[in-house]
Amino acid sequence: MSRDDFLNITREKFNQAVRVAKPLFCYFSVTEACDLNCKYCGSDSKKSLDNELTTQEVYDVLDNMAQAGTMAVLLAGGEPTLRKDLIRIVKYGASHRLRMAINTHGHFVDKEYAWRLRDAGVLEVKVSIDGLEETHDENRGKGSFKKVIEALKNCKSVGIPFVEMAATISRINYNELKDMINLALELEVGIIANEFSPIGRPTGMFDLILTKEQRREMQRYLLRVRKSVGWRKVNFEDIYIISEDEATKRICADPCKSCGYHDFNIGCISGIYAYSITADGKVLGGDIIFPGDVTRYQGLVIGDLRKERLRDIWKNSEVLNLFRDRDNLKGKCGSCTYKYVCGGCRRRAYLMGDVMGEDPSCWVDGTA
């Protein structure tokens, strides 16, 4: 298939997908409070906001989300287990047929708390990990790694369906990734490899970002492992690897196949299937979230769920409509063969000053 044919077919399928896309996935920061002081905290979490959502307001927000078509909610922060009502929040969301998950540092997830989460209906627990023991404890404090392992074991033992390490990969722990995957497989939990971004507490630490060569080799390795053990065991930010995944490219370029979420790869899902909610109820496009200080959002706040309906925000937001028109992409992303099945990472482009600019992290030659 020629480059032009691939672009034309994937453009049409992408535009069809966008026309019917719903806000399926939400990253919900339920508090800015955190009892740790991690060196590389992406949200720079310390204490609660003065105006964080009350329990009833969180319930109202969950209702609002469900009515707009949201399927899955990741409760995060800050540290979500510091909210005394977290179990009630999980139970409320699950009772409204939302797939409830939490992302935690794991320090308070003893066996009893794990049982409470499971009985409330949580389907997924992600426990943050920053490398092997020495590396992890250097960031989060001595003894933290052992608490992570204990939390993972507790969640697994009580039968929570999906238990995962949420690993942030930087140049600091890049060489530990294979051992981290082996540890996850040994514990019979999954692992999600997220790439480090210099936001929050490590703002400006660009020297910790993976090089393009490291990112390429990591994604190639992760794709091989995932094909061997399954995507539920190994997951990662895989938008660039589409350029080397021939099977996925064939599916995407088949005009007879569906362009639904499970059948077509759109790459970056920011503003198309994914969005974020801050602890005070603001809505942001995609996973581009900078909690705590509204000045860091700039033009990315697209609504306020204390005042508006999510379905209206989703339909009318100028920011989201910008994300959904990939003819707005600039630079390398704008001229790339894979713009409709990748689109580059909008978070990283935003960090460089233009949310529709080229992705500075991409290692793909998209002109071939």
Side-chain angles (χ1 to χ4, degrees):
M1 178 178 291
S2 71
R3 181 178 188 271
D4 286 346
D5 286 343
F6 185 87
L7 271 169
N8 289 335
I9 292 171
T10 56
R11 178 192 293 113
E12 178 60 27
K13 293 182 73 172
F14 174 83
N15 288 334
Q16 288 181 40
V18 164
R19 282 195 287 271
V20 296
K22 292 183 178 180
L24 300 180
F25 308 109
C26 177
Y27 178 102
F28 190 173
S29 176
V30 290
T31 183
E32 277 301 291
C34 188
D35 57 316
L36 300 185
N37 188 33
C38 305
K39 295 178 182 179
Y40 308 115
C41 176
S43 60
D44 196 14
S45 298
K46 296 174 183 175
K47 62 180 182 178
S48 303
L49 302 180
D50 293 336
N51 61 340
E52 289 188 351
L53 297 169
T54 65
T55 304
Q56 183 58 55
E57 286 178 320
V58 172
Y59 292 168
D60 292 343
V61 166
L62 292 172
D63 288 339
N64 198 340
M65 294 158 60
Q67 291 163 11
T70 298
M71 295 172 51
V73 183
L74 176 63
L75 303 176
E79 173 48 44
T81 59
L82 291 179
R83 280 197 70 132
K84 297 184 184 302
D85 58 357
L86 184 69
I87 301 296
R88 284 181 284 154
I89 289 171
V90 169
K91 187 174 183 178
Y92 188 90
S95 71
H96 286 64
R97 298 185 179 181
L98 292 168
R99 295 179 59 86
M100 302 300 291
I102 70 165
N103 195 153
T104 172
H105 59 37
H107 286 210
F108 305 124
V109 185
D110 56 18
K111 184 66 72 69
E112 178 187 355
Y113 198 85
W115 275 114
R116 294 175 65 199
L117 284 170
R118 197 210 70 166
D119 291 345
V122 78
L123 293 179
E124 184 174 8
V125 175
K126 301 180 181 183
V127 185
S128 298
I129 191 167
D130 302 312
L132 301 180
E133 185 166 10
E134 182 178 350
T135 304
H136 182 90
D137 284 1
E138 174 63 23
N139 181 31
R140 295 180 182 255
K142 189 172 177 60
S144 178
F145 182 82
K146 287 184 171 62
K147 293 179 180 178
V148 166
I149 301 303
E150 193 65 24
L152 290 165
K153 289 180 177 178
N154 289 336
C155 291
K156 182 74 178 176
S157 70
V158 302
I160 291 173
F162 302 107
V163 182
E164 296 148 330
M165 295 177 176
T168 299
I169 308 302
S170 68
R171 294 193 204 182
I172 293 173
N173 60 7
Y174 173 77
N175 291 327
E176 298 179 358
L177 178 59
K178 290 184 180 180
D179 288 332
M180 293 166 68
I181 290 175
N182 289 335
L183 177 60
L185 294 174
E186 179 184 328
L187 295 171
E188 297 184 324
V189 301
I191 185 168
I192 301 172
N194 300 306
E195 293 182 29
F196 168 83
S197 291
I199 59 174
R201 206 160 288 152
T203 293
M205 295 185 184
F206 294 101
D207 58 327
L208 299 185
I209 299 174
L210 297 180
T211 66
K212 292 182 180 181
E213 291 75 19
Q214 287 175 324
R215 181 172 298 106
R216 181 189 64 218
E217 294 310 308
M218 182 179 75
Q219 292 205 356
R220 286 173 174 172
Y221 168 70
L222 289 170
L223 182 63
R224 290 196 303 271
V225 177
R226 185 168 70 183
K227 286 181 177 179
S228 173
V229 302
W231 73 272
R232 263 299 175 185
K233 289 293 185 182
V234 175
N235 214 335
F236 62 102
E237 298 174 285
D238 57 357
I239 56 176
Y240 313 123
I241 201 66
I242 181 75
S243 65
E244 299 182 6
D245 188 345
E246 297 301 326
T248 301
K249 281 196 287 187
R250 283 195 297 271
I251 293 170
C252 289
D254 186 340
C256 298
K257 290 190 179 294
S258 166
C259 57
Y261 173 75
H262 295 288
D263 306 305
F264 179 71
N265 187 86
I266 66 164
C268 182
I269 62 175
S270 290
I272 299 171
Y273 296 120
Y275 65 104
S276 302
I277 300 175
T278 64
D280 56 353
K282 302 295 191 305
V283 187
L284 282 74
D287 64 351
I288 305 171
I289 185 166
F290 303 92
D293 180 1
V294 73
T295 62
R296 292 155 72 185
Y297 305 153
Q298 297 186 2
L300 294 177
V301 174
I302 59 175
D304 186 342
L305 294 185
R306 278 178 160 139
K307 304 173 183 176
E308 301 171 83
R309 308 307 299 172
L310 178 60
R311 60 173 46 149
D312 296 331
I313 296 169
W314 196 255
K315 178 181 178 181
N316 300 321
S317 167
E318 292 183 6
V319 171
L320 297 190
N321 287 327
L322 184 67
F323 287 156
R324 296 166 189 163
D325 184 354
R326 293 215 171 139
D327 290 335
N328 292 313
L329 291 174
K330 302 173 186 176
K332 179 179 176 180
C333 288
S335 60
C336 183
T337 302
Y338 307 108
K339 65 191 293 184
Y340 301 107
V341 294
C342 171
C345 177
R346 294 304 98 209
R347 182 194 331 115
R348 294 191 183 97
Y350 177 75
L351 288 173
M352 299 305 293
D354 185 348
V355 75
M356 298 306 289
E358 69 176 52
D359 180 347
S361 302
C362 181
W363 45 265
V364 177
D365 178 5
T367 61

